[in-house]
Amino acid sequence: MRRKIALIGAGAMAKYHIEGFRAAGAEVAAIVDRDPERAAAIVGRYGIHGHFRSLAEMRTVLPDVEAVSILTPNKFHHPLAMEALEAGLHVFCEKPPALSAAEIRVMAGLAERKQLRLMFNLNNRARLDSQFIKQQIGNGTVGRINSAQATWQRRTGIPGFGGWFTTKALAGGGPLIDLLHMIDLALWFMDYPEPEYVLAQTFDDFIRDPAFQGSWGHVVNPAGTCDVESACYGFVRFRTGQILVLHNSWAEMVKEEDTYVALQGTRGGVRIRTVNERNDCELYSQENLVAADRSFRFQHDKDMGRTRAPENFIRTLNGEAEPLTTAAEALKLMRIIDAVYLSATSGKPVRLDEEAEVAV
């Protein structure tokens, strides 16, 4: 059976979603976007049959569409996912999963009640090097992971300066929530342990300076809103005794952009890094008092898993693959992000209860 899927949003990520869905044999049946010109451009470029201004309009004309992919500003992830799930549609949603853990909890509950698939585009899990490291962890090469560091730092990388990326009401936050991929990757390697305490600090230096804008987003409005953080540092302790140190930034005085996850285990270590669209990873071990380190390059993986992640969504619906992401993991991720922002605002450590939300 050939699945039919519609894209809600005609932004820059549409290219990868379309290619991934088609690679899995699905038909991209429509684009839903309030901007008809932007939608028409995607329709024409990829030979899609139609475009609509709303999900309700699309469903009236194309009732056989089974799933949607949400590629909108962050604020709209939750309401659009809820609308789609209520309509009986499976959902693949761009990151971040939502603006808060509370929103994810509601989305996940509805998906479970409706027996629908809810997945998220945490695409770095689909990278070839990430899959390789996950296999190495699974076969015991690294042992128990005691600690991890997740970093995505930039010097001049504020996206869409003065647009929705830098507006808290629309984005939910700055680099912490935008560049959450390495945090998710570290948690995924650690099998998503239950967080217990978070201590964090954010900074807003340079966030209102257009000289620190980046290439992503292409919205430059010096008079626009810039009320999110420019950098964030955090420490997470898990109930297992494991720890995670995180560092995300769009604008701070560093040498250059750096993107990596490092792991320290009881049998070995890992460093997985993206440099100039090339994904490298290293495995560290000690044998007979000698460092036995290995390096691996994955040079043909330039889209950082952005095509394979949506492909996995369709293959999961088809029963051909295990889901790359789950709503339960998305909930833990957003609980940590909520706690990071709360700790930074309150100036105190934050304790996370297993059942409730966060408490200082």
Side-chain angles (χ1 to χ4, degrees), residues 177-237:
I177 202 167
D178 177 46
L179 304 179
L180 52 69
H181 287 292
M182 295 304 105
I183 300 170
D184 169 71
L185 201 56
L187 293 169
W188 185 57
F189 289 148
M190 300 168 81
D191 288 330
Y192 257 87
E194 192 68 39
E196 185 175 21
Y197 288 98
V198 171
L199 178 64
Q201 184 62 53
T202 59
F203 300 92
D204 62 3
D205 305 281
F206 319 118
I207 195 63
R208 295 170 185 83
D209 186 347
F212 285 84
Q213 67 180 290
S215 59
W216 189 262
H218 306 295
V219 177
V220 180
N221 180 6
T225 302
C226 294
D227 62 352
V228 297
E229 79 278 4
S230 59
C232 177
Y233 293 77
F235 180 91
V236 184
R237 185 189 187 279

Short mmCIF file of all heavy atoms in Angstrom, two decimals, residues 177-237:
data_model
loop_
_atom_site.label_atom_id
_atom_site.label_comp_id
_atom_site.label_asym_id
_atom_site.label_seq_id
_atom_site.Cartn_x
_atom_site.Cartn_y
_atom_site.Cartn_z
N ILE A 177 16.82 25.27 22.67
CA ILE A 177 15.71 24.55 22.07
C ILE A 177 15.90 24.38 20.56
O ILE A 177 15.43 23.41 19.96
CB ILE A 177 14.37 25.27 22.39
CG1 ILE A 177 13.19 24.30 22.25
CG2 ILE A 177 14.18 26.52 21.56
CD1 ILE A 177 11.91 24.83 22.85
N ASP A 178 16.64 25.29 19.93
CA ASP A 178 16.87 25.19 18.49
C ASP A 178 17.91 24.12 18.17
O ASP A 178 17.73 23.31 17.24
CB ASP A 178 17.34 26.54 17.95
CG ASP A 178 17.66 26.49 16.46
OD1 ASP A 178 16.86 25.92 15.70
OD2 ASP A 178 18.71 27.02 16.06
N LEU A 179 19.00 24.09 18.92
CA LEU A 179 20.11 23.17 18.65
C LEU A 179 20.09 21.99 19.63
O LEU A 179 21.12 21.55 20.10
CB LEU A 179 21.44 23.93 18.76
CG LEU A 179 21.59 25.16 17.86
CD1 LEU A 179 22.94 25.83 18.09
CD2 LEU A 179 21.41 24.81 16.39
N LEU A 180 18.91 21.47 19.87
CA LEU A 180 18.78 20.39 20.87
C LEU A 180 19.27 19.03 20.36
O LEU A 180 19.27 18.05 21.10
CB LEU A 180 17.33 20.28 21.35
CG LEU A 180 16.20 20.14 20.31
CD1 LEU A 180 16.19 18.83 19.58
CD2 LEU A 180 14.85 20.36 20.99
N HIS A 181 19.71 18.95 19.11
CA HIS A 181 20.06 17.66 18.52
C HIS A 181 21.15 16.91 19.27
O HIS A 181 21.06 15.70 19.45
CB HIS A 181 20.51 17.86 17.06
CG HIS A 181 19.39 18.19 16.13
ND1 HIS A 181 18.40 17.28 15.81
CD2 HIS A 181 19.11 19.32 15.44
CE1 HIS A 181 17.57 17.84 14.95
NE2 HIS A 181 17.96 19.07 14.72
N MET A 182 22.22 17.61 19.69
CA MET A 182 23.30 16.91 20.38
C MET A 182 22.86 16.45 21.76
O MET A 182 23.30 15.39 22.24
CB MET A 182 24.55 17.81 20.48
CG MET A 182 25.17 18.17 19.15
SD MET A 182 25.64 16.74 18.14
CE MET A 182 24.34 16.76 16.89
N ILE A 183 21.99 17.21 22.40
CA ILE A 183 21.45 16.79 23.69
C ILE A 183 20.65 15.51 23.51
O ILE A 183 20.82 14.53 24.24
CB ILE A 183 20.58 17.91 24.30
CG1 ILE A 183 21.41 19.17 24.52
CG2 ILE A 183 19.95 17.44 25.62
CD1 ILE A 183 20.59 20.39 24.89
N ASP A 184 19.78 15.52 22.51
CA ASP A 184 19.00 14.31 22.23
C ASP A 184 19.90 13.13 21.88
O ASP A 184 19.65 12.00 22.32
CB ASP A 184 18.03 14.57 21.07
CG ASP A 184 17.40 13.28 20.56
OD1 ASP A 184 16.56 12.71 21.28
OD2 ASP A 184 17.77 12.83 19.46
N LEU A 185 20.94 13.38 21.09
CA LEU A 185 21.82 12.29 20.67
C LEU A 185 22.52 11.67 21.88
O LEU A 185 22.60 10.44 22.01
CB LEU A 185 22.85 12.84 19.68
CG LEU A 185 23.54 11.83 18.75
CD1 LEU A 185 22.53 11.04 17.95
CD2 LEU A 185 24.50 12.58 17.81
N ALA A 186 23.01 12.52 22.78
CA ALA A 186 23.65 12.00 23.99
C ALA A 186 22.67 11.18 24.82
O ALA A 186 23.00 10.09 25.31
CB ALA A 186 24.21 13.15 24.82
N LEU A 187 21.45 11.69 24.99
CA LEU A 187 20.44 10.97 25.77
C LEU A 187 20.09 9.65 25.10
O LEU A 187 19.88 8.63 25.78
CB LEU A 187 19.19 11.84 25.91
CG LEU A 187 19.34 13.10 26.77
CD1 LEU A 187 18.13 14.00 26.60
CD2 LEU A 187 19.55 12.75 28.23
N TRP A 188 20.01 9.64 23.78
CA TRP A 188 19.69 8.41 23.03
C TRP A 188 20.78 7.37 23.22
O TRP A 188 20.50 6.20 23.44
CB TRP A 188 19.51 8.78 21.57
CG TRP A 188 19.07 7.67 20.67
CD1 TRP A 188 17.96 6.90 20.79
CD2 TRP A 188 19.75 7.22 19.48
NE1 TRP A 188 17.88 6.00 19.75
CE2 TRP A 188 18.96 6.18 18.93
CE3 TRP A 188 20.91 7.61 18.83
CZ2 TRP A 188 19.32 5.51 17.76
CZ3 TRP A 188 21.27 6.96 17.66
CH2 TRP A 188 20.48 5.92 17.13
N PHE A 189 22.04 7.81 23.16
CA PHE A 189 23.15 6.88 23.40
C PHE A 189 23.09 6.31 24.82
O PHE A 189 23.50 5.17 25.07
CB PHE A 189 24.49 7.58 23.20
CG PHE A 189 24.81 7.91 21.76
CD1 PHE A 189 25.56 9.05 21.45
CD2 PHE A 189 24.41 7.09 20.72
CE1 PHE A 189 25.89 9.35 20.14
CE2 PHE A 189 24.73 7.39 19.40
CZ PHE A 189 25.47 8.52 19.11
N MET A 190 22.59 7.10 25.76
CA MET A 190 22.51 6.68 27.17
C MET A 190 21.22 5.93 27.48
O MET A 190 20.94 5.62 28.64
CB MET A 190 22.62 7.91 28.08
CG MET A 190 23.92 8.69 27.93
SD MET A 190 23.89 10.30 28.75
CE MET A 190 24.23 9.82 30.44
N ASP A 191 20.41 5.66 26.45
CA ASP A 191 19.11 4.99 26.61
C ASP A 191 18.12 5.83 27.41
O ASP A 191 17.27 5.29 28.14
CB ASP A 191 19.26 3.60 27.25
CG ASP A 191 19.88 2.60 26.28
OD1 ASP A 191 19.67 2.73 25.06
OD2 ASP A 191 20.57 1.69 26.74
N TYR A 192 18.21 7.11 27.26
CA TYR A 192 17.26 8.06 27.85
C TYR A 192 16.96 7.77 29.32
O TYR A 192 15.83 7.44 29.70
CB TYR A 192 15.97 8.11 27.03
CG TYR A 192 15.92 9.35 26.15
CD1 TYR A 192 16.50 9.35 24.89
CD2 TYR A 192 15.34 10.52 26.61
CE1 TYR A 192 16.49 10.48 24.10
CE2 TYR A 192 15.30 11.66 25.84
CZ TYR A 192 15.88 11.65 24.57
OH TYR A 192 15.86 12.78 23.81
N PRO A 193 17.96 7.90 30.19
CA PRO A 193 17.72 7.69 31.63
C PRO A 193 16.79 8.76 32.19
O PRO A 193 16.60 9.83 31.60
CB PRO A 193 19.12 7.78 32.23
CG PRO A 193 19.89 8.64 31.26
CD PRO A 193 19.34 8.31 29.90
N GLU A 194 16.25 8.47 33.36
CA GLU A 194 15.30 9.39 34.01
C GLU A 194 16.07 10.53 34.69
O GLU A 194 16.90 10.30 35.56
CB GLU A 194 14.48 8.64 35.05
CG GLU A 194 13.29 9.40 35.58
CD GLU A 194 12.21 9.60 34.53
OE1 GLU A 194 11.95 8.67 33.74
OE2 GLU A 194 11.62 10.70 34.51
N PRO A 195 15.82 11.80 34.29
CA PRO A 195 16.54 12.92 34.91
C PRO A 195 16.07 13.16 36.34
O PRO A 195 14.91 12.96 36.67
CB PRO A 195 16.17 14.10 34.01
CG PRO A 195 14.85 13.73 33.41
CD PRO A 195 14.89 12.24 33.25
N GLU A 196 17.02 13.60 37.19
CA GLU A 196 16.69 13.86 38.60
C GLU A 196 16.92 15.32 38.98
O GLU A 196 16.06 15.95 39.59
CB GLU A 196 17.54 12.96 39.50
CG GLU A 196 17.18 13.08 40.97
CD GLU A 196 17.96 12.09 41.83
OE1 GLU A 196 19.02 11.60 41.39
OE2 GLU A 196 17.50 11.80 42.96
N TYR A 197 18.09 15.87 38.63
CA TYR A 197 18.41 17.26 38.95
C TYR A 197 18.99 17.97 37.74
O TYR A 197 19.69 17.36 36.93
CB TYR A 197 19.42 17.35 40.09
CG TYR A 197 18.87 16.98 41.44
CD1 TYR A 197 19.06 15.70 41.95
CD2 TYR A 197 18.17 17.92 42.21
CE1 TYR A 197 18.55 15.36 43.19
CE2 TYR A 197 17.67 17.57 43.45
CZ TYR A 197 17.86 16.30 43.94
OH TYR A 197 17.36 15.96 45.17
N VAL A 198 18.72 19.26 37.64
CA VAL A 198 19.28 20.10 36.57
C VAL A 198 19.78 21.40 37.20
O VAL A 198 19.11 22.00 38.04
CB VAL A 198 18.23 20.41 35.49
CG1 VAL A 198 18.75 21.45 34.52
CG2 VAL A 198 17.83 19.14 34.75
N LEU A 199 20.97 21.82 36.79
CA LEU A 199 21.51 23.12 37.16
C LEU A 199 21.98 23.79 35.88
O LEU A 199 22.72 23.18 35.10
CB LEU A 199 22.68 22.98 38.14
CG LEU A 199 23.38 24.28 38.56
CD1 LEU A 199 22.42 25.18 39.33
CD2 LEU A 199 24.62 23.98 39.40
N ALA A 200 21.56 25.03 35.63
CA ALA A 200 21.87 25.64 34.34
C ALA A 200 21.96 27.16 34.44
O ALA A 200 21.51 27.77 35.41
CB ALA A 200 20.80 25.25 33.31
N GLN A 201 22.56 27.74 33.39
CA GLN A 201 22.66 29.19 33.28
C GLN A 201 22.59 29.57 31.81
O GLN A 201 23.20 28.90 30.96
CB GLN A 201 23.97 29.71 33.88
CG GLN A 201 24.09 31.22 33.88
CD GLN A 201 23.01 31.89 34.71
OE1 GLN A 201 22.82 31.54 35.88
NE2 GLN A 201 22.28 32.82 34.12
N THR A 202 21.85 30.61 31.50
CA THR A 202 21.80 31.15 30.14
C THR A 202 22.42 32.54 30.13
O THR A 202 22.53 33.21 31.17
CB THR A 202 20.36 31.24 29.61
OG1 THR A 202 19.58 32.07 30.49
CG2 THR A 202 19.72 29.86 29.52
N PHE A 203 22.80 32.98 28.92
CA PHE A 203 23.38 34.31 28.71
C PHE A 203 22.74 34.94 27.48
O PHE A 203 22.33 34.22 26.56
CB PHE A 203 24.90 34.21 28.52
CG PHE A 203 25.62 33.59 29.68
CD1 PHE A 203 25.85 32.21 29.71
CD2 PHE A 203 26.04 34.35 30.76
CE1 PHE A 203 26.49 31.62 30.78
CE2 PHE A 203 26.69 33.77 31.84
CZ PHE A 203 26.91 32.40 31.85
N ASP A 204 22.64 36.27 27.47
CA ASP A 204 22.04 36.95 26.33
C ASP A 204 22.98 37.95 25.66
O ASP A 204 22.55 38.82 24.91
CB ASP A 204 20.73 37.63 26.72
CG ASP A 204 20.90 38.72 27.77
OD1 ASP A 204 22.06 39.00 28.17
OD2 ASP A 204 19.89 39.29 28.20
N ASP A 205 24.29 37.81 25.91
CA ASP A 205 25.26 38.67 25.24
C ASP A 205 25.13 38.50 23.72
O ASP A 205 25.00 37.37 23.22
CB ASP A 205 26.68 38.30 25.66
CG ASP A 205 26.85 38.33 27.17
OD1 ASP A 205 27.00 39.43 27.72
OD2 ASP A 205 26.80 37.24 27.77
N PHE A 206 25.19 39.59 22.99
CA PHE A 206 25.23 39.62 21.52
C PHE A 206 23.90 39.27 20.84
O PHE A 206 23.81 39.36 19.62
CB PHE A 206 26.32 38.69 20.95
CG PHE A 206 27.61 38.71 21.70
CD1 PHE A 206 28.10 37.58 22.32
CD2 PHE A 206 28.34 39.89 21.80
CE1 PHE A 206 29.30 37.60 23.01
CE2 PHE A 206 29.54 39.93 22.49
CZ PHE A 206 30.02 38.78 23.10
N ILE A 207 22.86 38.89 21.60
CA ILE A 207 21.65 38.41 20.96
C ILE A 207 20.93 39.52 20.18
O ILE A 207 20.17 39.23 19.26
CB ILE A 207 20.70 37.75 21.99
CG1 ILE A 207 19.61 36.93 21.27
CG2 ILE A 207 20.07 38.79 22.91
CD1 ILE A 207 20.11 35.78 20.48
N ARG A 208 21.20 40.76 20.52
CA ARG A 208 20.56 41.87 19.81
C ARG A 208 21.50 42.56 18.83
O ARG A 208 21.21 43.64 18.34
CB ARG A 208 20.00 42.88 20.82
CG ARG A 208 18.88 42.31 21.67
CD ARG A 208 18.48 43.20 22.83
NE ARG A 208 17.50 42.53 23.69
CZ ARG A 208 17.80 41.67 24.64
NH1 ARG A 208 19.07 41.40 24.90
NH2 ARG A 208 16.86 41.09 25.35
N ASP A 209 22.62 41.91 18.55
CA ASP A 209 23.62 42.50 17.66
C ASP A 209 23.57 41.78 16.30
O ASP A 209 23.94 40.61 16.18
CB ASP A 209 25.02 42.33 18.27
CG ASP A 209 26.10 43.03 17.47
OD1 ASP A 209 25.84 43.43 16.33
OD2 ASP A 209 27.21 43.17 18.01
N PRO A 210 23.12 42.47 15.22
CA PRO A 210 23.01 41.82 13.91
C PRO A 210 24.35 41.30 13.38
O PRO A 210 24.36 40.45 12.49
CB PRO A 210 22.46 42.94 13.01
CG PRO A 210 21.80 43.89 13.94
CD PRO A 210 22.61 43.85 15.20
N ALA A 211 25.46 41.78 13.92
CA ALA A 211 26.77 41.29 13.47
C ALA A 211 26.96 39.82 13.81
O ALA A 211 27.85 39.16 13.26
CB ALA A 211 27.88 42.12 14.11
N PHE A 212 26.12 39.28 14.71
CA PHE A 212 26.24 37.88 15.11
C PHE A 212 25.19 36.99 14.44
O PHE A 212 25.00 35.86 14.85
CB PHE A 212 26.15 37.76 16.64
CG PHE A 212 27.41 38.20 17.32
CD1 PHE A 212 27.63 39.55 17.59
CD2 PHE A 212 28.39 37.30 17.68
CE1 PHE A 212 28.79 39.97 18.21
CE2 PHE A 212 29.56 37.71 18.30
CZ PHE A 212 29.77 39.06 18.57
N GLN A 213 24.55 37.50 13.41
CA GLN A 213 23.57 36.68 12.70
C GLN A 213 24.26 35.53 11.97
O GLN A 213 25.43 35.58 11.62
CB GLN A 213 22.80 37.54 11.70
CG GLN A 213 23.68 38.04 10.55
CD GLN A 213 22.90 38.89 9.56
OE1 GLN A 213 22.08 38.37 8.83
NE2 GLN A 213 23.18 40.18 9.55
N GLY A 214 23.48 34.48 11.71
CA GLY A 214 23.98 33.34 10.96
C GLY A 214 23.28 33.21 9.63
O GLY A 214 22.42 34.02 9.28
N SER A 215 23.64 32.18 8.88
CA SER A 215 23.11 32.00 7.53
C SER A 215 21.74 31.33 7.52
O SER A 215 21.03 31.39 6.53
CB SER A 215 24.08 31.16 6.70
OG SER A 215 24.28 29.89 7.30
N TRP A 216 21.35 30.67 8.60
CA TRP A 216 20.09 29.95 8.61
C TRP A 216 18.94 30.89 8.93
O TRP A 216 19.02 31.70 9.84
CB TRP A 216 20.14 28.83 9.65
CG TRP A 216 18.97 27.89 9.57
CD1 TRP A 216 17.84 27.93 10.34
CD2 TRP A 216 18.79 26.80 8.67
NE1 TRP A 216 16.98 26.93 9.98
CE2 TRP A 216 17.54 26.22 8.95
CE3 TRP A 216 19.57 26.27 7.64
CZ2 TRP A 216 17.06 25.12 8.25
CZ3 TRP A 216 19.09 25.17 6.95
CH2 TRP A 216 17.85 24.60 7.26
N GLY A 217 17.86 30.77 8.19
CA GLY A 217 16.69 31.59 8.49
C GLY A 217 16.50 32.75 7.55
O GLY A 217 15.41 33.02 7.09
N HIS A 218 17.57 33.48 7.26
CA HIS A 218 17.58 34.55 6.26
C HIS A 218 16.58 35.67 6.54
O HIS A 218 16.20 36.38 5.64
CB HIS A 218 17.34 33.99 4.86
CG HIS A 218 18.30 32.89 4.50
ND1 HIS A 218 19.65 33.10 4.37
CD2 HIS A 218 18.10 31.57 4.28
CE1 HIS A 218 20.24 31.94 4.07
NE2 HIS A 218 19.32 31.00 4.02
N VAL A 219 16.13 35.81 7.77
CA VAL A 219 15.27 36.94 8.13
C VAL A 219 16.13 37.92 8.93
O VAL A 219 16.58 37.59 10.01
CB VAL A 219 14.06 36.49 8.97
CG1 VAL A 219 13.23 37.70 9.39
CG2 VAL A 219 13.20 35.51 8.17
N VAL A 220 16.40 39.06 8.39
CA VAL A 220 17.24 40.04 9.08
C VAL A 220 16.41 41.30 9.31
O VAL A 220 16.07 42.01 8.38
CB VAL A 220 18.50 40.38 8.27
CG1 VAL A 220 19.34 41.40 9.02
CG2 VAL A 220 19.30 39.13 7.97
N ASN A 221 16.07 41.53 10.55
CA ASN A 221 15.28 42.70 10.92
C ASN A 221 15.88 43.28 12.20
O ASN A 221 15.54 42.85 13.30
CB ASN A 221 13.82 42.31 11.14
CG ASN A 221 12.96 43.50 11.54
OD1 ASN A 221 13.42 44.64 11.54
ND2 ASN A 221 11.70 43.24 11.87
N PRO A 222 16.81 44.22 12.05
CA PRO A 222 17.47 44.77 13.24
C PRO A 222 16.50 45.33 14.27
O PRO A 222 16.83 45.39 15.46
CB PRO A 222 18.35 45.89 12.66
CG PRO A 222 18.58 45.47 11.25
CD PRO A 222 17.32 44.80 10.80
N ALA A 223 15.29 45.70 13.83
CA ALA A 223 14.30 46.24 14.76
C ALA A 223 13.37 45.15 15.30
O ALA A 223 12.48 45.42 16.10
CB ALA A 223 13.47 47.32 14.07
N GLY A 224 13.59 43.91 14.88
CA GLY A 224 12.71 42.81 15.30
C GLY A 224 12.99 42.36 16.73
O GLY A 224 13.92 42.83 17.39
N THR A 225 12.20 41.42 17.18
CA THR A 225 12.32 40.90 18.55
C THR A 225 13.50 39.94 18.68
O THR A 225 13.68 39.07 17.84
CB THR A 225 11.03 40.17 18.96
OG1 THR A 225 9.93 41.07 18.85
CG2 THR A 225 11.13 39.65 20.38
N CYS A 226 14.29 40.11 19.73
CA CYS A 226 15.39 39.20 20.06
C CYS A 226 15.39 39.02 21.57
O CYS A 226 16.19 39.63 22.28
CB CYS A 226 16.73 39.76 19.58
SG CYS A 226 16.91 39.87 17.78
N ASP A 227 14.47 38.20 22.07
CA ASP A 227 14.30 38.07 23.52
C ASP A 227 14.58 36.66 24.01
O ASP A 227 14.03 36.22 25.02
CB ASP A 227 12.89 38.51 23.93
CG ASP A 227 11.78 37.67 23.32
OD1 ASP A 227 12.08 36.82 22.45
OD2 ASP A 227 10.61 37.85 23.71
N VAL A 228 15.46 35.93 23.30
CA VAL A 228 15.87 34.59 23.73
C VAL A 228 17.33 34.62 24.14
O VAL A 228 18.03 35.62 23.97
CB VAL A 228 15.64 33.56 22.61
CG1 VAL A 228 14.16 33.46 22.27
CG2 VAL A 228 16.45 33.91 21.37
N GLU A 229 17.82 33.51 24.69
CA GLU A 229 19.22 33.44 25.11
C GLU A 229 20.15 33.32 23.91
O GLU A 229 19.74 32.86 22.83
CB GLU A 229 19.43 32.25 26.05
CG GLU A 229 19.55 30.88 25.40
CD GLU A 229 18.23 30.23 25.05
OE1 GLU A 229 17.17 30.88 25.25
OE2 GLU A 229 18.23 29.08 24.58
N SER A 230 21.40 33.72 24.08
CA SER A 230 22.42 33.52 23.05
C SER A 230 23.27 32.30 23.35
O SER A 230 23.89 31.73 22.44
CB SER A 230 23.32 34.76 22.95
OG SER A 230 23.95 35.01 24.20
N ALA A 231 23.33 31.89 24.63
CA ALA A 231 24.13 30.73 25.01
C ALA A 231 23.53 30.10 26.25
O ALA A 231 22.88 30.77 27.06
CB ALA A 231 25.58 31.12 25.26
N CYS A 232 23.76 28.80 26.40
CA CYS A 232 23.22 28.07 27.54
C CYS A 232 24.20 26.98 27.97
O CYS A 232 24.76 26.27 27.12
CB CYS A 232 21.88 27.44 27.17
SG CYS A 232 21.17 26.43 28.49
N TYR A 233 24.40 26.85 29.27
CA TYR A 233 25.22 25.80 29.86
C TYR A 233 24.38 25.07 30.90
O TYR A 233 23.64 25.71 31.66
CB TYR A 233 26.47 26.38 30.53
CG TYR A 233 27.46 26.99 29.57
CD1 TYR A 233 27.23 28.24 29.01
CD2 TYR A 233 28.63 26.31 29.24
CE1 TYR A 233 28.14 28.81 28.12
CE2 TYR A 233 29.55 26.87 28.36
CZ TYR A 233 29.30 28.12 27.80
OH TYR A 233 30.20 28.66 26.92
N GLY A 234 24.50 23.75 30.96
CA GLY A 234 23.70 23.02 31.92
C GLY A 234 24.36 21.73 32.37
O GLY A 234 25.24 21.18 31.69
N PHE A 235 23.91 21.25 33.52
CA PHE A 235 24.39 20.01 34.11
C PHE A 235 23.16 19.20 34.53
O PHE A 235 22.29 19.72 35.23
CB PHE A 235 25.28 20.30 35.32
CG PHE A 235 25.83 19.09 36.01
CD1 PHE A 235 27.06 18.56 35.65
CD2 PHE A 235 25.11 18.45 37.03
CE1 PHE A 235 27.57 17.44 36.29
CE2 PHE A 235 25.60 17.33 37.67
CZ PHE A 235 26.84 16.82 37.30
N VAL A 236 23.09 17.95 34.07
CA VAL A 236 21.95 17.09 34.39
C VAL A 236 22.47 15.85 35.10
O VAL A 236 23.40 15.19 34.63
CB VAL A 236 21.19 16.65 33.12
CG1 VAL A 236 19.95 15.85 33.50
CG2 VAL A 236 20.82 17.86 32.26
N ARG A 237 21.87 15.54 36.26
CA ARG A 237 22.15 14.29 36.95
C ARG A 237 20.92 13.39 36.80
O ARG A 237 19.78 13.85 37.01
CB ARG A 237 22.45 14.51 38.43
CG ARG A 237 22.87 13.22 39.14
CD ARG A 237 22.96 13.39 40.65
NE ARG A 237 23.52 12.21 41.30
CZ ARG A 237 22.84 11.10 41.59
NH1 ARG A 237 21.54 11.02 41.29
NH2 ARG A 237 23.43 10.07 42.17
#
